[in-house]
Amino acid sequence: MNEKGGGMDSVDVVVVGGGPAGATAAEMLARAGHSVVLLDRDGRIKPCGGAIPPRLVSDFEIPPELIVARISSAQMVAPSERRVPMPIEGGGYVGMVDREHFDEWLRVRAAAAGARRITGTFERIERDADGSAVVRYRAASPAKEEAFGEITARLVIGADGARSAVGRQNVEGAERMPFVFAYHEIVRSPVASKADFDPRRCGVYYQGVISPDFYGWVFPHGATTSIGTGSAEKGYGLRPAVARLRATTGLDRVETIRREGAPIPLKPLKRWDNGRDIILAGDAAGVVAPASGEGIYYAMISARMVAEAGLATGDAPALATARKAFMREHGRVFWILGIMQTFWYRSDRQRERFVAICRDKDVQRLTWEAYMNKKLVPARPAAHIKIFFKDLAHLLRLVSP
Ligand SMILES: Cc1cc2nc3c(=O)[nH]c(=O)nc-3n(C[C@H](O)[C@H](O)[C@H](O)COP(=O)(O)OP(=O)(O)OC[C@H]3O[C@@H](n4cnc5c(N)ncnc54)[C@H](O)[C@@H]3O)c2cc1C
């Protein structure tokens, strides 16, 4: 059911935002028997490269028809144009989803579990006479007139993305979230290719002319392809950088379907909740992996942890356990990736070295295993040590790229 319109209502949980985080939290809480409203704005397709790991597919039971392409290798491109292929061994893959269909499928699954969908824009949270949260939202009526609605909730989950209004209004520190600004163009994939393009390969561009502090990408999605870049530098010309990337890959000759951008959070917030009855998940909580910008898996896994903490609604201290659980499981990887981004993405000289390191077969295996399975593999300590010393040698410039 997808309601439009207002009216006073009272439920256990209002989830604001119907992206991967919100839909996951709503589904889980509804399945556990809570009354849940999933409030989502209408219309916009989330700008996103749409790359997801197999771990997400299995953990969240994603049906194969939502995976529009299976990527079997990456090509890392250095400032010198040196190219390093990184094949995925053993039948592994990177799954590509189209967010238009992926997100809607997740919302439909949440509704099938019992969540009530409302199409509307969150405005603010007020308090009733008992101090309970009252979520105020704006809904477009069938006559396209504005209508307002109110829902009283014991718990509000803010899964409303990187610029979360729920967070900014209610959770300390949310307004100071640091971002990478990302922009991409969705193009028609070339058919018989004269372009530098392979439908089963991701291109990853570590070049100062494409991004001064992040990377550029070419992610094939079957019929379409996402070509994008990002930077935390305010005012950096993302559009000219994507135009450059399209020109150098020969993808400037294919049809452009959409041009869009959005911020990517750079760091998990120190607090996800208000100590009472409001908690954040996904981009709203800042849980995107540094260096890669991977956020879909972390949005869904954080939402699961938030839903688990929220199952004890009424127990305010339990809310803080969500962030603790997340950082226990992923904090180390985020920390390592943060350091990687700081060291390797800061100059073309460093980027050249970074791409050179990627030639190492052990580096390739560990990178793919960590990405696909979301685990650092302890079974290969010798490889870790080798990579550590290799990294160190490159950092100290003891070897040339
Ligand atoms: C250009 C780009 C490329 C990316 N590529 C990748 C990638 O390849 N792989 C990857 O894993 N991650 C990628 N990411 C990151 C990923 O898109 C996010 O981390 C992920 O979407 C977070 O999910 P979420 O549910 O927390 O938030 P979102 O997906 O942003 O969902 C938020 C939802 O809240 C709704 N909403 C917002 N405000 C309101 C409001 N006031 N009222 C009601 N509803 C509201 C929105 O409509 C939306 O449905 C990319 C990001 C960008 C910008």
Side-chain angles (χ1 to χ4, degrees), residues 45 57 84 96 103 108 132 138 151 173 176 181 251 296 308 342 394:
I45 304 166
V57 176
V84 173
M96 289 293 171
D103 289 19
V108 167
S132 300
R138 205 166 5 97
I151 311 169
R176 294 189 298 277
F181 296 90
L251 291 165
I296 305 172
E308 261 157 26
T342 310
H394 274 274

Side-chain angles (χ1 to χ4, degrees), residues 79-124:
S80 63
E81 290 291 329
R82 183 214 299 246
R83 275 138 212 263
V84 173
M86 286 186 63
I88 309 176
E89 291 169 350
Y93 68 96
V94 178
M96 289 293 171
V97 294
D98 286 335
R99 292 293 300 270
E100 181 179 6
H101 307 297
F102 181 71
D103 289 19
E104 179 58 13
W105 188 87
L106 294 174
R107 290 189 286 265
V108 167
R109 180 163 73 176
R116 179 154 51 103
R117 289 179 66 180
I118 295 182
T119 303
T121 303
F122 168 84
E123 294 252 297
R124 62 182 176 278

Side-chain angles (χ1 to χ4, degrees), residues 15-23 39-53 56 94-96 99 103 107 118-123 137-138 158-166 180-184 214-215 217 219 221 226 228-229 260-265 281-285 287-289 292-300 302-303 371:
V15 180
V16 181
L39 173 67
D40 193 42
R41 241 179 1 203
D42 208 1
R44 185 160 179 253
I45 304 166
K46 165 76 190 181
C48 182
I52 59 168
L56 185 158
V94 178
M96 289 293 171
R99 292 293 300 270
D103 289 19
R107 290 189 286 265
I118 295 182
T119 303
T121 303
F122 168 84
E123 294 252 297
Y137 65 94
R138 205 166 5 97
D160 47 343
R163 291 193 192 279
S164 167
V166 176
V180 157
F181 296 90
Y183 167 79
H184 75 159
F214 201 59
Y215 65 87
W217 68 86
F219 285 0
H221 281 227
S226 154
T229 188
E260 55 198 18
I264 303 180
D283 274 16
V287 291
V288 177
S292 71
E294 183 195 357
I296 305 172
Y297 173 76
Y298 296 108
M300 294 172 78
S302 69
Y371 172 76

Side-chain angles (χ1 to χ4, degrees), residues 129-315:
D130 307 334
S132 300
V134 180
V135 175
R136 276 193 52 94
Y137 65 94
R138 205 166 5 97
S141 71
K144 298 278 175 213
E145 285 159 9
E146 300 234 303
F148 290 91
E150 289 183 346
I151 311 169
T152 306
R154 290 166 59 207
L155 178 72
V156 180
I157 297 179
D160 47 343
R163 291 193 192 279
S164 167
V166 176
R168 282 162 185 246
Q169 292 171 20
N170 299 284
V171 177
E172 206 189 305
E175 74 289 354
R176 294 189 298 277
M177 175 116 74
F179 295 116
V180 157
F181 296 90
Y183 167 79
H184 75 159
E185 298 182 359
I186 304 277
V187 303
R188 185 95 42 220
S189 298
V191 194
S193 181
K194 283 195 193 120
D196 178 15
F197 180 81
D198 175 338
R200 285 176 54 88
R201 183 190 73 200
C202 282
V204 192
Y205 293 79
Y206 295 101
Q207 299 178 313
V209 290
I210 299 299
S211 170
D213 51 1
F214 201 59
Y215 65 87
W217 68 86
V218 175
F219 285 0
H221 281 227
T224 63
T225 294
S226 154
I227 308 171
T229 188
S231 174
E233 259 182 35
K234 272 208 174 114
Y236 177 75
L238 296 171
R239 277 173 181 252
V242 168
R244 211 169 292 133
L245 185 49
R246 287 184 66 172
T248 54
T249 50
L251 291 165
D252 52 345
R253 294 186 289 271
V254 292
E255 181 196 348
T256 305
I257 298 166
R258 289 201 311 272
R259 293 188 163 88
E260 55 198 18
I264 303 180
L266 272 188
K267 215 174 179 184
L269 292 179
K270 291 220 163 70
R271 279 200 75 141
W272 292 6
D273 64 279
N274 70 342
R276 186 173 171 187
D277 54 5
I278 301 171
I279 185 164
L280 307 175
D283 274 16
V287 291
V288 177
S292 71
E294 183 195 357
I296 305 172
Y297 173 76
Y298 296 108
M300 294 172 78
I301 213 77
S302 69
R304 196 175 258 185
M305 289 164 177
V306 161
E308 261 157 26
L311 285 172
T313 37
D315 178 8

